Amino acid sequence: MQDRTINNALLAMRRDLIRTGGEGLEHVEALLLLRGVRLPKAFVPDGPIAKNGQMKKMVLDALRDGGKTRRELVDHIAALRPDVSPECAYWRTDAALSALRAKGLVSHEGRVWALQFKV
């Protein structure tokens, strides 16, 4: 087995232990340090902002009043979900807009997003 395979397995185990709060994190980190691997900062996601198309629905509801910029949409979503970080709300809004544009439900001209059809 290659060293990088072992290192990647230990890093994945460390990431999972941090996210789930499991036991043995200090042992995994000790093994990584002994192997000379730099410990990266672990990213812990905020969790799901919405499920089952709720994010797309929130974006469509925000666009019913007229066209909005991406920043206005993100602010609208952040107001609805204060438990989610602004950065996470931005990327989730961006993903929802991309999916809605692929379906032909929204379009944008310049910086303004608008409904393609009355939904």
mmCIF file of all heavy atoms in Angstrom, residues 69-93:
data_model
loop_
_atom_site.group_PDB
_atom_site.id
_atom_site.type_symbol
_atom_site.label_atom_id
_atom_site.label_comp_id
_atom_site.label_asym_id
_atom_site.label_seq_id
_atom_site.Cartn_x
_atom_site.Cartn_y
_atom_site.Cartn_z
ATOM 1 N N THR A 69 -31.302 40.890 -8.074
ATOM 2 C CA THR A 69 -29.914 40.484 -8.248
ATOM 3 C C THR A 69 -29.646 39.275 -7.365
ATOM 4 O O THR A 69 -30.422 38.961 -6.459
ATOM 5 C CB THR A 69 -28.941 41.615 -7.869
ATOM 6 O OG1 THR A 69 -29.089 41.893 -6.479
ATOM 7 C CG2 THR A 69 -29.182 42.860 -8.698
ATOM 8 N N ARG A 70 -28.539 38.625 -7.624
ATOM 9 C CA ARG A 70 -28.168 37.461 -6.809
ATOM 10 C C ARG A 70 -28.008 37.863 -5.339
ATOM 11 O O ARG A 70 -28.418 37.150 -4.438
ATOM 12 C CB ARG A 70 -26.878 36.842 -7.339
ATOM 13 C CG ARG A 70 -26.482 35.561 -6.638
ATOM 14 C CD ARG A 70 -25.141 35.048 -7.108
ATOM 15 N NE ARG A 70 -24.957 35.152 -8.540
ATOM 16 C CZ ARG A 70 -25.120 34.137 -9.396
ATOM 17 N NH1 ARG A 70 -25.465 32.968 -8.966
ATOM 18 N NH2 ARG A 70 -24.916 34.313 -10.691
ATOM 19 N N ARG A 71 -27.404 39.029 -5.083
ATOM 20 C CA ARG A 71 -27.201 39.493 -3.703
ATOM 21 C C ARG A 71 -28.542 39.706 -3.010
ATOM 22 O O ARG A 71 -28.709 39.351 -1.846
ATOM 23 C CB ARG A 71 -26.376 40.794 -3.723
ATOM 24 C CG ARG A 71 -26.179 41.459 -2.393
ATOM 25 C CD ARG A 71 -25.629 40.618 -1.255
ATOM 26 N NE ARG A 71 -24.510 39.779 -1.568
ATOM 27 C CZ ARG A 71 -24.137 38.735 -0.838
ATOM 28 N NH1 ARG A 71 -24.788 38.398 0.258
ATOM 29 N NH2 ARG A 71 -23.111 38.006 -1.174
ATOM 30 N N GLU A 72 -29.532 40.264 -3.710
ATOM 31 C CA GLU A 72 -30.861 40.454 -3.118
ATOM 32 C C GLU A 72 -31.513 39.116 -2.808
ATOM 33 O O GLU A 72 -32.163 38.956 -1.768
ATOM 34 C CB GLU A 72 -31.752 41.267 -4.058
ATOM 35 C CG GLU A 72 -31.330 42.711 -4.207
ATOM 36 C CD GLU A 72 -32.078 43.440 -5.301
ATOM 37 O OE1 GLU A 72 -32.568 42.790 -6.251
ATOM 38 O OE2 GLU A 72 -32.156 44.677 -5.204
ATOM 39 N N LEU A 73 -31.321 38.146 -3.694
ATOM 40 C CA LEU A 73 -31.863 36.809 -3.440
ATOM 41 C C LEU A 73 -31.195 36.161 -2.232
ATOM 42 O O LEU A 73 -31.866 35.551 -1.393
ATOM 43 C CB LEU A 73 -31.691 35.928 -4.673
ATOM 44 C CG LEU A 73 -32.588 36.259 -5.862
ATOM 45 C CD1 LEU A 73 -32.145 35.497 -7.091
ATOM 46 C CD2 LEU A 73 -34.029 35.947 -5.532
ATOM 47 N N VAL A 74 -29.878 36.303 -2.145
ATOM 48 C CA VAL A 74 -29.151 35.728 -1.009
ATOM 49 C C VAL A 74 -29.615 36.383 0.293
ATOM 50 O O VAL A 74 -29.828 35.695 1.300
ATOM 51 C CB VAL A 74 -27.626 35.884 -1.202
ATOM 52 C CG1 VAL A 74 -26.878 35.520 0.067
ATOM 53 C CG2 VAL A 74 -27.153 35.026 -2.358
ATOM 54 N N ASP A 75 -29.790 37.695 0.283
ATOM 55 C CA ASP A 75 -30.272 38.390 1.485
ATOM 56 C C ASP A 75 -31.665 37.918 1.870
ATOM 57 O O ASP A 75 -31.977 37.760 3.055
ATOM 58 C CB ASP A 75 -30.264 39.901 1.268
ATOM 59 C CG ASP A 75 -28.859 40.463 1.158
ATOM 60 O OD1 ASP A 75 -27.900 39.781 1.591
ATOM 61 O OD2 ASP A 75 -28.714 41.583 0.633
ATOM 62 N N HIS A 76 -32.510 37.671 0.882
ATOM 63 C CA HIS A 76 -33.858 37.168 1.137
ATOM 64 C C HIS A 76 -33.806 35.781 1.787
ATOM 65 O O HIS A 76 -34.493 35.522 2.778
ATOM 66 C CB HIS A 76 -34.651 37.113 -0.172
ATOM 67 C CG HIS A 76 -36.019 36.543 -0.036
ATOM 68 N ND1 HIS A 76 -37.073 37.273 0.458
ATOM 69 C CD2 HIS A 76 -36.509 35.295 -0.296
ATOM 70 C CE1 HIS A 76 -38.154 36.512 0.486
ATOM 71 N NE2 HIS A 76 -37.832 35.306 0.023
ATOM 72 N N ILE A 77 -32.972 34.902 1.227
ATOM 73 C CA ILE A 77 -32.832 33.541 1.768
ATOM 74 C C ILE A 77 -32.228 33.593 3.173
ATOM 75 O O ILE A 77 -32.671 32.887 4.078
ATOM 76 C CB ILE A 77 -31.960 32.665 0.840
ATOM 77 C CG1 ILE A 77 -32.583 32.548 -0.547
ATOM 78 C CG2 ILE A 77 -31.692 31.303 1.454
ATOM 79 C CD1 ILE A 77 -33.931 31.901 -0.600
ATOM 80 N N ALA A 78 -31.214 34.444 3.368
ATOM 81 C CA ALA A 78 -30.578 34.563 4.688
ATOM 82 C C ALA A 78 -31.570 35.056 5.733
ATOM 83 O O ALA A 78 -31.502 34.656 6.895
ATOM 84 C CB ALA A 78 -29.373 35.492 4.601
ATOM 85 N N ALA A 79 -32.508 35.929 5.322
ATOM 86 C CA ALA A 79 -33.526 36.403 6.261
ATOM 87 C C ALA A 79 -34.492 35.281 6.645
ATOM 88 O O ALA A 79 -34.961 35.215 7.780
ATOM 89 C CB ALA A 79 -34.288 37.573 5.656
ATOM 90 N N LEU A 80 -34.767 34.401 5.681
ATOM 91 C CA LEU A 80 -35.654 33.270 5.965
ATOM 92 C C LEU A 80 -34.982 32.216 6.829
ATOM 93 O O LEU A 80 -35.639 31.536 7.616
ATOM 94 C CB LEU A 80 -36.117 32.619 4.657
ATOM 95 C CG LEU A 80 -37.039 33.440 3.762
ATOM 96 C CD1 LEU A 80 -37.294 32.695 2.459
ATOM 97 C CD2 LEU A 80 -38.351 33.726 4.474
ATOM 98 N N ARG A 81 -33.666 32.057 6.662
ATOM 99 C CA ARG A 81 -32.914 31.040 7.383
ATOM 100 C C ARG A 81 -31.732 31.665 8.112
ATOM 101 O O ARG A 81 -30.588 31.558 7.671
ATOM 102 C CB ARG A 81 -32.410 29.976 6.416
ATOM 103 C CG ARG A 81 -33.481 29.182 5.689
ATOM 104 C CD ARG A 81 -34.303 28.321 6.628
ATOM 105 N NE ARG A 81 -33.490 27.453 7.433
ATOM 106 C CZ ARG A 81 -33.183 26.200 7.121
ATOM 107 N NH1 ARG A 81 -33.630 25.670 6.022
ATOM 108 N NH2 ARG A 81 -32.430 25.495 7.924
ATOM 109 N N PRO A 82 -31.945 32.333 9.255
ATOM 110 C CA PRO A 82 -30.835 32.967 9.977
ATOM 111 C C PRO A 82 -29.848 31.975 10.586
ATOM 112 O O PRO A 82 -28.745 32.353 10.973
ATOM 113 C CB PRO A 82 -31.541 33.784 11.058
ATOM 114 C CG PRO A 82 -32.873 33.144 11.227
ATOM 115 C CD PRO A 82 -33.229 32.555 9.895
ATOM 116 N N ASP A 83 -30.219 30.699 10.658
ATOM 117 C CA ASP A 83 -29.326 29.689 11.225
ATOM 118 C C ASP A 83 -28.237 29.249 10.251
ATOM 119 O O ASP A 83 -27.329 28.527 10.626
ATOM 120 C CB ASP A 83 -30.136 28.468 11.675
ATOM 121 C CG ASP A 83 -30.955 27.865 10.545
ATOM 122 O OD1 ASP A 83 -31.502 28.643 9.742
ATOM 123 O OD2 ASP A 83 -31.067 26.633 10.476
ATOM 124 N N VAL A 84 -28.295 29.713 9.005
ATOM 125 C CA VAL A 84 -27.335 29.330 7.978
ATOM 126 C C VAL A 84 -26.384 30.490 7.716
ATOM 127 O O VAL A 84 -26.803 31.643 7.666
ATOM 128 C CB VAL A 84 -28.074 28.931 6.683
ATOM 129 C CG1 VAL A 84 -27.103 28.601 5.582
ATOM 130 C CG2 VAL A 84 -28.996 27.759 6.955
ATOM 131 N N SER A 85 -25.110 30.189 7.567
ATOM 132 C CA SER A 85 -24.122 31.241 7.331
ATOM 133 C C SER A 85 -24.387 31.927 5.988
ATOM 134 O O SER A 85 -24.898 31.303 5.053
ATOM 135 C CB SER A 85 -22.706 30.656 7.342
ATOM 136 O OG SER A 85 -22.492 29.874 6.191
ATOM 137 N N PRO A 86 -24.009 33.194 5.862
ATOM 138 C CA PRO A 86 -24.212 33.914 4.605
ATOM 139 C C PRO A 86 -23.482 33.262 3.428
ATOM 140 O O PRO A 86 -24.000 33.237 2.310
ATOM 141 C CB PRO A 86 -23.657 35.308 4.889
ATOM 142 C CG PRO A 86 -23.722 35.461 6.366
ATOM 143 C CD PRO A 86 -23.527 34.086 6.921
ATOM 144 N N GLU A 87 -22.292 32.729 3.669
ATOM 145 C CA GLU A 87 -21.547 32.075 2.596
ATOM 146 C C GLU A 87 -22.283 30.836 2.096
ATOM 147 O O GLU A 87 -22.393 30.603 0.890
ATOM 148 C CB GLU A 87 -20.150 31.691 3.065
ATOM 149 C CG GLU A 87 -19.319 31.063 1.986
ATOM 150 C CD GLU A 87 -17.945 30.644 2.460
ATOM 151 O OE1 GLU A 87 -17.606 30.850 3.637
ATOM 152 O OE2 GLU A 87 -17.209 30.099 1.629
ATOM 153 N N CYS A 88 -22.810 30.045 3.008
ATOM 154 C CA CYS A 88 -23.553 28.850 2.632
ATOM 155 C C CYS A 88 -24.825 29.249 1.878
ATOM 156 O O CYS A 88 -25.169 28.629 0.868
ATOM 157 C CB CYS A 88 -23.897 28.034 3.876
ATOM 158 S SG CYS A 88 -24.749 26.493 3.522
ATOM 159 N N ALA A 89 -25.517 30.285 2.346
ATOM 160 C CA ALA A 89 -26.727 30.750 1.667
ATOM 161 C C ALA A 89 -26.399 31.210 0.254
ATOM 162 O O ALA A 89 -27.169 30.976 -0.679
ATOM 163 C CB ALA A 89 -27.376 31.882 2.462
ATOM 164 N N TYR A 90 -25.257 31.858 0.076
ATOM 165 C CA TYR A 90 -24.855 32.316 -1.248
ATOM 166 C C TYR A 90 -24.688 31.146 -2.212
ATOM 167 O O TYR A 90 -25.236 31.140 -3.316
ATOM 168 C CB TYR A 90 -23.547 33.110 -1.175
ATOM 169 C CG TYR A 90 -23.050 33.562 -2.524
ATOM 170 C CD1 TYR A 90 -23.509 34.744 -3.075
ATOM 171 C CD2 TYR A 90 -22.156 32.789 -3.253
ATOM 172 C CE1 TYR A 90 -23.077 35.150 -4.330
ATOM 173 C CE2 TYR A 90 -21.721 33.179 -4.501
ATOM 174 C CZ TYR A 90 -22.178 34.369 -5.034
ATOM 175 O OH TYR A 90 -21.764 34.756 -6.276
ATOM 176 N N TRP A 91 -23.933 30.135 -1.789
ATOM 177 C CA TRP A 91 -23.654 29.010 -2.689
ATOM 178 C C TRP A 91 -24.893 28.168 -2.942
ATOM 179 O O TRP A 91 -25.088 27.639 -4.039
ATOM 180 C CB TRP A 91 -22.501 28.174 -2.162
ATOM 181 C CG TRP A 91 -21.218 28.910 -2.287
ATOM 182 C CD1 TRP A 91 -20.451 29.407 -1.271
ATOM 183 C CD2 TRP A 91 -20.556 29.298 -3.492
ATOM 184 N NE1 TRP A 91 -19.370 30.076 -1.766
ATOM 185 C CE2 TRP A 91 -19.404 30.027 -3.138
ATOM 186 C CE3 TRP A 91 -20.835 29.118 -4.840
ATOM 187 C CZ2 TRP A 91 -18.535 30.555 -4.077
ATOM 188 C CZ3 TRP A 91 -19.965 29.637 -5.777
ATOM 189 C CH2 TRP A 91 -18.836 30.344 -5.392
ATOM 190 N N ARG A 92 -25.758 28.021 -1.951
ATOM 191 C CA ARG A 92 -26.987 27.259 -2.160
ATOM 192 C C ARG A 92 -27.939 28.007 -3.096
ATOM 193 O O ARG A 92 -28.612 27.408 -3.922
ATOM 194 C CB ARG A 92 -27.674 26.974 -0.830
ATOM 195 C CG ARG A 92 -26.851 26.184 0.157
ATOM 196 C CD ARG A 92 -26.609 24.761 -0.321
ATOM 197 N NE ARG A 92 -25.682 24.054 0.522
ATOM 198 C CZ ARG A 92 -26.031 23.280 1.540
ATOM 199 N NH1 ARG A 92 -27.277 23.118 1.855
ATOM 200 N NH2 ARG A 92 -25.109 22.662 2.244
ATOM 201 N N THR A 93 -27.983 29.347 -2.957
ATOM 202 C CA THR A 93 -28.805 30.150 -3.864
ATOM 203 C C THR A 93 -28.269 30.047 -5.285
ATOM 204 O O THR A 93 -29.028 29.905 -6.249
ATOM 205 C CB THR A 93 -28.836 31.620 -3.402
ATOM 206 O OG1 THR A 93 -29.340 31.680 -2.066
ATOM 207 C CG2 THR A 93 -29.718 32.463 -4.307
#
